[in-house]
Each structure stands twice: as structure tokens, then as C-alpha cells.
Amino acid sequence: MKKLLLIGVVALWAGVSTGFAQRPDSLNRQPIIKVTPLTLFDLDNTLQAGIEIPLPNPKYSVQQELGYGHSAFNFFPSEREDYPNKETWRFRTQLRMYYRQNRNGAGYFAAEYLFKKNSIREWRAQGMDCANPWQCAYFENRMVNLGRFLSAYHLKMGWQYILSPRMNLDFYWGLGLRSLTVRNLSVENETLFTDDEPVWFRPDTPGRYGPAPSLSVGFHLGWILGPLPVR
């Protein structure tokens, strides 16, 4: 249902824009390789890069991003200490519609889907043969594999600023919804206990959380591929 809603909103933008949006042919649209510096400073840090590919109609493009991170190069000491074995994968797929352009760049609307996975290995108190989360036959301190799976949908707007013939700065912001599923990947149907963090902030107790409001703000640095425009 959420995916159908996003497709419908993008289709509405496309229809409304036909009468007033300039065709961005003058942008000489080319594939753009991008990096996202701010993801290095996230609590779930990643080295992240992507590519924006124009579609046959130059008003539209698809952007795909991929990121990988490990707590070993996290900027926050507490993350390195609390989660020494944490790995993070981040995937982001975005459909863009450009509505305006001038000498300085181009503005766009976008609909996107974000998926993020944390893999965490740590010693945890695990309840065995549990009738419910509060009644277990016994407890064991075990090394467990915990998976945190986040999905988010955003509607965004942004502007790509031209910095040089090859480089641009892509600034964006948007709102949406996100949900989180936490799973014990070591032993299914067993219960983990933790009191390290409240469940409303980065929960690591197995369960489903959300949906909750989501804010996405940041920028990409881009390198334009292909031939440069003739001026």
C-alpha cells in the first residue's frame, strides 16, 4: 500500500508538471557519480556512494545508493565500545522529477525507499524455553547475532548546484515514515533481555517498532560523467 501511494504521488507530480515545468534539456543530463559525506558521522556510520542515471525523458532520473560501515571506524567512541562488532548496510533507491533549472543548477522532487541493516554480535542474557518474555525456564549468557532491519519511505525536494563543469552539490530534505524490525538471528523463538537503552531510542530488543515519522536532510557531492555541454 505504501509503495502504491508513493507511485501515485509521483505520477500526480508528473501530470501537474506537464503544463508548467520547463523541460530540463539545457542541463545536458548525464550520469552522475555521488558520495554522501554525512553518513560517516551517523551513529550507524557508512561509507556511501551512488549513481544518478537520467531516463529517456530528461525530466526524470533514478538514483541508486549503497553504503557499508563498521563500528571500527565509527566517529563516536561509545559506539566503538558498546558495539565493537557492528556492521551496517544501507540501500537507497530514488525516483526524481526535475521541475526547474537555471544557470546555477536544477530543482527536483523525489520519492525514495531506504533500507538499512545492522548486524550486531554481543554477549546477551538469553531466556530459554520461555512461555512469555517474563517466564523462562532458565537463562544463559550467550554470544548472539542480532539483526536490525529498518525500512523508510520519504518524499523529498532538493536542488543540484553547479560547482564546476564536472562537479555539483546536491542538497535535499524530506519527510516520511520509517519502521524497524529487530530479530535474534542466533536462536529463533527465544527471548533476549536488555536494559541498556529505552525502547523508543534505537531499540535492540527483538520486536517490531513503528511506523514513526522520519526526517531526511543532507547533501551529495557529485562528479558528472560523459561529454560536457558545448557553450
Side-chain angles (χ1 to χ4, degrees):
M1 179 61 70
K2 294 179 181 178
K3 292 183 179 179
L4 291 176
L5 178 60
L6 290 177
I7 293 172
V9 172
V10 173
L12 178 61
W13 279 339
V16 172
S17 66
T18 302
F20 67 86
Q22 295 176 306
R23 290 185 59 84
D25 299 336
S26 60
L27 295 173
N28 190 42
R29 300 291 307 289
Q30 302 287 346
I32 305 174
I33 298 292
K34 299 183 179 182
V35 295
T36 311
L38 291 182
T39 58
L40 279 172
F41 301 93
D42 196 292
L43 290 175
D44 296 326
N45 59 304
T46 56
L47 287 167
Q48 190 160 318
I51 184 169
E52 180 183 359
I53 300 176
L55 297 178
N57 183 337
K59 285 198 300 185
Y60 302 95
S61 69
V62 173
Q63 182 165 300
Q64 180 63 55
E65 301 171 48
L66 171 64
Y68 172 77
H70 195 282
S71 54
F73 57 88
N74 196 297
F75 279 90
F76 298 93
S78 60
E79 290 295 303
R80 298 195 299 271
E81 295 171 3
D82 295 341
Y83 304 103
N85 300 306
K86 183 178 69 174
E87 290 184 310
T88 300
W89 289 93
R90 185 184 272 114
F91 302 85
R92 192 193 307 268
T93 301
Q94 188 179 97
L95 175 64
R96 294 186 173 196
M97 184 198 75
Y98 285 86
Y99 66 91
R100 182 183 177 187
Q101 76 285 325
N102 57 37
R103 285 185 155 190
N104 297 319
Y108 63 87
F109 295 114
E112 74 169 26
Y113 170 70
L114 167 68
F115 174 79
K116 183 174 70 174
K117 177 188 176 183
N118 295 134
S119 297
I120 302 172
R121 296 181 68 249
E122 61 181 3
W123 289 98
R124 297 281 290 274
Q126 181 157 323
M128 309 300 291
D129 298 330
C130 298
N132 58 57
W134 301 275
Q135 292 181 332
C136 298
Y138 61 99
F139 300 88
E140 288 186 3
N141 195 26
R142 298 176 128 196
M143 177 64 74
V144 300
N145 295 317
L146 201 68
R148 301 174 76 251
F149 304 88
L150 181 142
S151 292
Y153 301 86
H154 295 107
L155 296 178
K156 291 184 172 183
M157 64 185 305
W159 188 274
Q160 293 210 82
Y161 296 91
I162 297 173
L163 301 179
S164 75
R166 285 290 184 191
M167 294 190 66
N168 68 11
L169 175 64
D170 180 354
F171 177 78
Y172 61 85
W173 74 274
L175 299 172
L177 294 173
R178 64 176 56 200
S179 59
L180 174 70
T181 299
V182 182
R183 297 175 186 164
N184 175 9
L185 304 179
S186 301
V187 180
E188 295 184 0
N189 301 321
E190 300 296 350
T191 301
L192 298 180
F193 292 88
T194 180
D195 57 0
D196 294 337
E197 295 177 342
V199 297
W200 49 266
F201 180 69
R202 303 180 71 208
D204 58 4
T205 300
R208 294 181 181 272
Y209 304 88
S214 179
L215 173 66
S216 180
V217 178
F219 67 91
H220 310 288
L221 290 174
W223 180 262
I224 301 171
L225 303 178
L228 293 174
V230 177
R231 301 190 183 277

